[in-house]
Amino acid sequence: MSFSDFFGIIGHLLRGHLRLYQCYTAVNWRTCEACLSWHGRIVSDPQVFPAHDSCIHEVLAFPVWRLGEHRRKAQRMRAKATEEILRREKWRKATELLPRDPAQALALFEEAVKTDVYLEEVEELAEKNRAWLAGNEEVRAALREIFTRGWKGKFTKERYERQPELAKTAQEQFGLTRIKELFT
């Protein structure tokens, strides 16, 4: 236990806090940035967490003497939320640049899918740029390759290890088929 954790625990105990609360937010493309900013935060009053109907989150209690463990978890959670915010920014810039500077857009999409790729965003991108993509076969092929690689990589991540193998394989195959349909 670090000195910071020790003094944090003592401080909370002196204020009468036997339990603390940590917010867990579903980190995905739909989660608003306000809720992402709460992912991993630890507070003594669970009522301070905002309640958004559209964002999935949970506030879990833990005993104050486990503060150090939860602070370390909070750092990992904050890093994940920050990574998602940066992914969104790359995706947004890439989407804007696609018709004007396809090479730069492709590089940004490549960076974004290293974090994650969401089929809903890919479908939206394809629909929004349907006419332009129809006349740019090389860009369509490059996007298909980038999104296919990102989609396959998604299922190698730790969070998918707990998913039943058949379900994971079906989800992966569905996405690969859909990406091919969108960019062929």
Side-chain angles (χ1 to χ4, degrees):
M1 177 184 310
S2 71
F3 284 117
S4 174
D5 293 340
F6 176 76
F7 288 114
I9 292 167
I10 297 299
H12 282 291
L13 288 172
L14 289 173
R15 288 189 297 273
H17 303 149
L18 298 178
R19 301 183 81 61
L20 296 174
Y21 302 87
Q22 189 163 36
C23 186
Y24 293 79
T25 302
V27 178
N28 61 45
W29 69 281
R30 288 181 289 203
T31 308
C32 72
E33 289 194 23
C35 286
L36 281 176
S37 74
W38 282 95
H39 188 56
R41 283 203 197 171
I42 298 169
V43 296
S44 57
D45 178 8
Q47 301 304 317
V48 301
F49 291 115
H52 286 35
D53 291 335
S54 63
C55 296
I56 299 168
H57 70 278
E58 195 170 357
V59 179
L60 299 177
F62 64 91
V64 71
W65 52 87
R66 293 183 61 200
L67 179 61
E69 172 187 334
H70 284 268
R71 279 182 173 171
R72 289 185 292 281
K73 185 186 295 185
Q75 288 176 336
R76 294 188 303 271
M77 293 167 73
R78 297 295 317 127
K80 184 169 177 57
T82 300
E83 186 179 47
E84 171 57 20
I85 291 169
L86 293 173
R87 184 205 67 81
R88 290 177 185 187
E89 182 60 22
K90 291 172 188 172
W91 186 272
R92 186 192 61 74
K93 283 183 184 177
T95 301
E96 288 176 6
L97 287 172
L98 187 60
R100 294 190 324 261
D101 188 353
Q104 181 64 28
L106 292 172
L108 286 168
F109 282 127
E110 188 77 52
E111 285 296 311
V113 302
K114 287 178 184 175
T115 300
D116 212 333
V117 58
Y118 298 100
L119 201 51
E120 295 88 345
E121 284 183 326
V122 173
E123 289 172 330
E124 186 179 297
L125 174 74
E127 180 60 33
K128 180 180 174 186
N129 294 284
R130 181 186 305 222
W132 185 84
L133 288 168
N136 290 280
E137 187 176 331
E138 285 182 27
V139 175
R140 266 195 340 267
L143 287 169
R144 184 175 57 244
E145 175 62 30
I146 289 168
F147 297 145
T148 296
R149 191 171 40 255
W151 189 258
K152 286 179 179 178
K154 174 182 190 104
F155 294 93
T156 64
K157 295 183 180 180
E158 184 180 327
R159 69 179 178 264
Y160 287 97
E161 288 177 5
R162 296 179 296 274
Q163 190 174 15
E165 194 62 35
L166 289 177
K168 180 171 70 171
T169 302
Q171 186 179 2
E172 182 178 2
Q173 193 55 51
F174 175 80
L176 292 173
T177 301
R178 186 68 178 128
I179 290 166
K180 186 177 180 183
E181 289 171 358
L182 292 168
F183 297 98
T184 299

